[in-house]
Amino acid sequence: MGSVPNPLPSGERWGLVGTTPDGQIIAGVWLADDQTRPATIDPATAAVTWIGEASEGAVFAADSDARHIVWLETFSKDLFTLPWVLHSYDRRTGQTMTVAEEPDVGVDPVPAAPDGSTPSIAGDRVWLAAVEKMDGQRPVPAIFSASLTSRTPLRREIAGAFDPKVAGNKVFYVRADTGTFQNWRVRSRDLKTGKETVVAKGGPNSRFSGISADTGALMWQEGKRDLCTVRLRTAGGTVVPLSSGNCDRNFGYYPQATSRYVSYSYSSLSVGYKAYVYDLRKATLRRLTRERLLQSPQGSGEYLAWKPVTGPDKDRVLVARLTRTD
């Protein structure tokens, strides 16, 4: 396991945004002039590699594969609007480029898509949700894709949908009643054949929040009356309820799924984030750490990163690798 001090040895504080499949931390580094600059940080040496220019925007969400890192830059000041710009960094050439920005829907600032916008890389394109148009006061979402290597118009992939997560040759996504999370359905589309399948759904009293997927698992969160549940669908199609809790006090946030594990966290004002990890190979669930966390863990591949706010590592971000022998 590695760790990186926060602030860095050079004095800058930084925010954890994600990890790459080889365990590098994706971060937004806060500079002295109130600007933020995207970077990767090596957990073994704390060496910083700048992957984009400094700006007054925030590094909001990221995804990566072996070749590229993508992230959203946003200037939003609240949870209801999300103007964004999508950037792509080529890890092989060191080139950074802006590849897309949010569609113009005639409202400024543009509203946030349901459950926000998080990029998901699929081959030479990156998928994400955005508001496509307005239906009166209600935003109507759609799933778009953008090129990883050039700035071309966004391509609409799926109308009336949100939360795309690419896993292997499939993309999982969500549909729900316009402007709500009611009557939700998690669907999958085969990227080669176009075949679509409903893999999970909720009734009129079921509220949806959060989805994550990889080749080994699909995970989502749902609430029904006062009970909120985190559910896992394995690669074999078995649905397993991982945790349930009172929606008024805590709920699973920001699930992360990779080919090796799934993780999620509960949050409350009194205890902060409590994080859990389910090992897909061993079919075991365990609490990641007894310490309170600043935010939900971030992960990719076999790596998971988290930031304690209590205990001896409260000024560090920890990175662990789940190996075949742990």
Side-chain angles (χ1 to χ4, degrees), residues 55-66:
S55 80
E56 295 180 354
V59 182
F60 176 71
D63 192 28
S64 62
D65 60 13

Side-chain angles (χ1 to χ4, degrees), residues 201-233:
K201 61 182 179 180
N205 295 319
S206 177
R207 177 172 56 87
F208 173 87
S209 176
I211 180 176
S212 187
D214 205 289
T215 51
L218 166 71
M219 186 168 60
W220 69 93
Q221 302 154 18
E222 61 182 270
K224 194 169 185 179
R225 294 185 175 88
D226 293 330
L227 183 67
C228 291
T229 304
V230 179
R231 299 189 188 277
L232 165 70
R233 183 180 185 270

Side-chain angles (χ1 to χ4, degrees), residues 91-143:
R91 303 179 69 188
R92 188 176 302 170
T93 66
Q95 180 182 13
T96 301
M97 62 187 313
T98 300
V99 295
E101 61 183 275
E102 84 280 354
D104 182 1
V105 297
V107 178
D108 186 23
V110 63
D115 225 29
S117 297
T118 302
S120 186
I121 294 175
D124 61 355
R125 301 189 70 80
V126 53
W127 291 50
L128 76 168
V131 174
E132 182 182 24
K133 58 185 178 180
M134 300 296 294
D135 180 10
Q137 297 298 313
R138 289 185 171 184
V140 179
I143 293 172

Side-chain angles (χ1 to χ4, degrees), residues 158-179:
I158 308 172
F162 56 95
D163 257 349
K165 297 294 184 295
V166 177
N169 65 347
K170 292 183 178 180
V171 58
F172 294 88
Y173 65 93
V174 181
R175 289 189 190 275
D177 292 349
T178 301

Side-chain angles (χ1 to χ4, degrees), residues 5 16 35 75-76 83 99 130 147 151 154 220 242 275 279 282 299 311:
L16 172 65
Q35 292 191 320
F75 298 88
S76 177
V99 295
S147 170
R151 182 157 186 170
L154 286 170
W220 69 93
L242 293 182
D279 191 308
K282 297 181 178 180

